[in-house]
Amino acid sequence: RGDEQLCLKPGFVGAFRPGGFSDHLMVPHPRYLIDCGDLLAEQAAPLACSGVTAYGALKKFGALLKSEPVIVIGAGGVGLMALAILRAMQARGAIVVDIDPKKREAAMQAGALAVVDGKAADAAAQIQAIVNDRIWAVVDFVGSGSTVKLGTDLLTKGGHLVVVGLFGGEITIPTPYIPMRAMTVQGSYTGSLPELHELIALLRRTPLPYMPVQVRPLDSVNQSLNDLKDGNVVGRVVLAPN
């Protein structure tokens, strides 16, 4: 079906095979080579990671993207990329939930309709007040027990939650809720090769809206990973060969 990301024997570069921080890479097949046209290298590089991950998740909402605002939980690199892609797709827009004020500020700069502090005791009520209507679509780029619970709590009858993040945790949903609320809770794992082709084609037609990207030399990889772990990266870091 073209869903290579769902292979039971994955071969992701940098995770299951070497090459994640290399200055050269042997490509196993020409189908993985995609012409990115006039896109700058620092714009194109994240598209095969956070770009296709966000795009693959957003596509699962189908026509809802045009008619309903999406609740985006998490304004890290993938969440901010999702905002840029939503704008490129001319979607209705997004309300962003994050616990970090710097990332909420970045989300507003990236075009969020509104932002909400996920630590607030009344976060769900704040979101409901902003939307002033039923919530049909929630995408969770964090994937903790508390964020998935927030997502399911927000959904109206027939609503759709897509979980992307791998933070970890547990959630308990009363089983009658699933049929009675006709909810969809769906996982999304990166994105497919056809979706990457679609995304590149979209962004070659429509310039990529604002997305914070820092370009650093390749030999700063350890410091960059530590900054990421400590929550000191807003957007994406692209490592450029020296």
Side-chain angles (χ1 to χ4, degrees):
R1 299 184 306 181
D3 291 329
E4 293 179 64
Q5 79 280 13
L6 303 181
C7 179
L8 298 179
K9 296 181 179 180
F12 298 122
V13 170
F16 297 96
R17 64 173 66 185
F21 301 116
S22 301
D23 52 8
H24 290 76
L25 179 68
M26 185 70 73
V27 179
H29 193 281
R31 68 174 176 268
Y32 300 115
L33 298 174
I34 303 173
D35 184 1
C36 58
D38 296 330
L39 289 172
L40 299 175
E42 60 268 26
Q43 292 178 324
L47 297 179
C49 182
S50 56
V52 72
T53 299
Y55 183 71
L58 293 172
K59 275 197 65 182
K60 290 175 171 58
F61 294 122
L64 281 175
L65 294 178
K66 295 291 186 181
S67 60
E68 304 293 336
V70 179
I71 310 303
V72 172
I73 301 177
V78 189
L80 291 175
M81 180 65 80
L83 289 180
I85 292 172
L86 283 167
R87 293 178 66 191
M89 297 172 76
Q90 299 183 326
R92 176 80 180 273
I95 295 155
V96 176
V97 182
D98 200 283
I99 63 174
D100 187 334
K102 292 184 297 183
K103 293 176 181 175
R104 293 198 299 272
E105 181 181 348
M108 287 301 296
Q109 190 175 354
L113 300 174
V115 295
V116 172
D117 182 355
K119 290 187 296 187
D122 63 342
Q126 288 187 47
I127 297 165
Q128 295 280 7
I130 294 166
V131 174
N132 195 28
D133 201 350
R134 294 176 293 178
I135 294 172
W136 292 93
V138 181
V139 57
D140 184 357
F141 291 116
V142 179
S144 69
S146 61
T147 58
V148 175
K149 183 179 186 307
L150 174 63
T152 56
D153 288 347
L154 287 172
L155 291 179
T156 187
K157 285 187 176 182
H160 191 166
L161 168 66
V162 175
V163 181
V164 181
L166 301 171
F167 187 89
E170 296 179 351
I171 181 171
T172 300
I173 302 175
T175 53
Y177 275 22
I178 298 172
M180 291 176 66
R181 293 174 59 190
M183 66 167 63
T184 299
V185 178
Q186 183 176 10
S188 186
Y189 190 57
T190 66
S192 68
L193 188 58
E195 286 170 339
L196 182 56
H197 278 277
E198 291 175 17
L199 177 61
I200 298 295
L202 170 67
L203 297 179
R204 289 186 65 177
R205 296 191 307 269
T206 305
L208 181 68
Y210 171 75
M211 167 67 198
V213 174
Q214 302 175 43
V215 180
R216 300 183 183 182
L218 184 58
D219 58 13
S220 72
V221 56
N222 288 335
Q223 182 61 52
S224 298
L225 289 172
N226 287 331
D227 289 343
L228 186 65
K229 180 180 178 182
D230 295 338
N232 295 326
V233 172
V234 175
R236 296 273 87 176
V237 169
V238 172
L239 300 173
N242 299 329

